[in-house]
């Protein structure tokens, strides 16, 4: 299957999407007006979303200052130069700030699955462009697993919801059985990079039901909603690479700045 064929929606999907939006027009999640298209976000609000701008060519950490125009190739940040991540690249379209933070908060903490669909579709569009340029298509999408206890509290895993939308648009299967979360790690957003690494030690494992052929020589995309230091994605990437994976990339909606 060529990449163009991969992304061409089936006639049935095209018809059902258009028909459902004819019956119930898209409603913009941000400005609350009719979106006038088959996405619950209007074109104007989409153009206001904070682009990630110049960023590290591995972990996508945003650059504090715009790069010189004459720069021949993208730069690598100090953290990646000090300790190269196990994933080869993080593909992230947005910065975690207004107004995309509103969509992410409604999705993750208020259970707004429509906002989740919008975010999944925006991420799919970005990944589609990356694949058309240079990204090799991974063989499976792995959502960052939630510990069962937290999943029980939230009712869903936001990374899995995003992965399902990506899978539908990009025709890449989701495997949410391969990597398991062993420990219920405490919330990470107030921890610094070293504390996060410590917190994540042995947090994930490969399922004992997985066979070696599912990982060896395969390429994977790890999906999460927001990347801060990338420690969680890196812990999963390490696990996959240690078990023989050929390549791991990370896909996330937004890149947040580390608080301390
Ligand atoms: Zn709008
Ligand atoms: Zn980096």
């Amino acid at each position: 299957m060529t990449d163009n064929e991969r992304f061409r929606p089936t006639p049935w999907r095209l018809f059902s999407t258009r028909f459902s939006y004819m019956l119930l027009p898209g409603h913009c999640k941000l400005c609350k007006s009719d979106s006038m298209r088959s996405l619950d976000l209007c074109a104007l609000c989409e153009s206001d979303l904070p682009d990630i701008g110049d960023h590290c060519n591995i972990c996508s950490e945003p650059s504090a200052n715009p790069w010189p125009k004459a720069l021949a190739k993208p730069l690598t940040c100090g953290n990646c130069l000090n300790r190269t991540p196990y994933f080869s690249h993080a593909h992230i379209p947005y910065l975690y700030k207004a107004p995309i933070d509103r969509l992410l908060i409604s999705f993750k903490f208020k259970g707004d699955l429509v906002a989740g669909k919008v975010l999944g579709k925006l991420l799919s569009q970005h990944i589609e462009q990356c694949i058309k340029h240079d990204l090799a298509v991974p063989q499976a999408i792995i959502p960052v697993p939630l510990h069962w206890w937290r999943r029980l509290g939230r009712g869903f895993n936001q990374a899995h919801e995003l992965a399902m939308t990506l899978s539908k648009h990009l025709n890449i299967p989701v495997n949410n059985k391969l990597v398991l979360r062993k420990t219920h790690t405490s919330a990470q957003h107030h921890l610094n990079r070293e504390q996060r690494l410590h917190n994540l030690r042995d947090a994930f494992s490969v399922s004992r039901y997985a066979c070696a052929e599912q990982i060896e020589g395969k390429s994977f995309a790890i999906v999460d909603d927001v990347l801060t230091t990338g420690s969680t994605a890196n812990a999963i990437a390490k696990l996959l690479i240690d078990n023989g994976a050929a390549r791991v990339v990370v896909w996330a909606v937004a890149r947040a700045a580390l608080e301390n």
Side-chain angles (χ1 to χ4, degrees):
M1 190 191 285
T2 67
D3 284 348
N4 279 346
E5 283 165 345
R6 175 183 294 278
F7 300 127
R8 194 177 301 141
T10 60
W12 167 247
R13 193 198 294 166
L14 215 54
F15 170 77
S16 61
T17 305
R18 285 189 181 150
F19 188 66
S20 66
Y21 276 95
M22 267 164 61
L23 293 176
L24 285 169
H27 184 75
C28 180
K29 277 276 156 197
L30 290 175
C31 70
K32 311 295 178 201
S33 60
D34 284 347
S35 70
M36 314 293 279
R37 58 186 185 154
S38 53
L39 180 70
D40 291 307
L41 184 75
C42 74
L44 203 59
C45 286
E46 184 181 348
S47 68
D48 273 348
L49 297 179
D51 188 274
I52 193 160
D54 293 331
H55 56 271
C56 166
N57 65 349
I58 297 179
C59 73
S60 277
E61 177 157 295
S63 167
N65 301 302
W67 290 346
K69 289 221 175 345
L71 201 66
K73 63 177 194 147
L75 299 176
T76 303
C77 76
N79 288 320
C80 290
L81 288 173
N82 278 342
R83 188 182 293 171
T84 308
Y86 288 85
F87 56 83
S88 52
H89 194 92
H91 297 267
I92 305 174
Y94 301 111
L95 288 175
Y96 185 77
K97 59 184 208 180
I100 202 153
D101 58 346
R102 277 169 54 198
L103 292 173
L104 283 156
I105 289 167
S106 308
F107 171 42
K108 191 166 169 177
F109 299 111
K110 299 176 186 166
D112 184 347
L113 296 180
V114 176
K117 284 265 181 305
V118 169
L119 294 166
K121 221 163 165 186
L122 292 171
L123 183 55
S124 301
Q125 288 171 15
H126 178 74
I127 300 300
E128 214 173 310
Q129 290 307 313
C130 296
I131 288 174
K132 278 179 186 160
H133 284 106
D134 61 350
L135 172 66
V137 180
Q139 281 145 316
I141 298 174
I142 299 197
V144 170
L146 268 190
H147 189 264
W148 67 268
W149 180 247
R150 188 166 289 174
R151 190 188 168 112
L152 197 66
R154 188 170 294 161
F156 65 101
N157 174 1
Q158 71 280 359
H160 186 247
E161 296 296 319
L162 291 171
M164 293 306 286
T165 306
L166 283 155
S167 172
K168 189 174 151 196
H169 287 275
L170 305 174
N171 276 338
I172 304 170
V174 172
N175 191 337
N176 65 341
K177 304 270 190 290
L178 195 60
V179 177
L180 306 176
R181 191 157 206 146
K182 286 194 294 185
T183 52
H184 175 46
T185 47
S186 53
Q188 298 225 102
H189 44 271
H190 296 303
L191 305 181
N192 66 27
R193 191 176 294 272
E194 290 309 316
Q195 288 166 329
R196 280 172 186 237
L197 284 174
H198 183 77
N199 202 28
L200 285 163
R201 196 179 299 154
D202 302 325
F204 301 99
S205 67
V206 168
S207 163
R208 64 183 139 140
Y209 301 109
C211 48
E213 300 85 74
Q214 282 179 280
I215 305 182
E216 281 174 8
K218 300 280 193 301
S219 63
F220 298 95
I222 298 169
V223 169
D224 208 355
D225 54 339
V226 179
L227 210 77
T228 304
T229 58
S231 311
T232 302
N234 199 36
I236 300 173
K238 178 179 187 312
L239 183 70
L240 292 168
I241 295 285
D242 286 349
N243 279 275
R247 188 169 189 265
V248 178
V249 291
V250 177
W251 297 347
V253 177
R255 188 72 158 78
L258 193 59
E259 284 171 9
N260 49 355

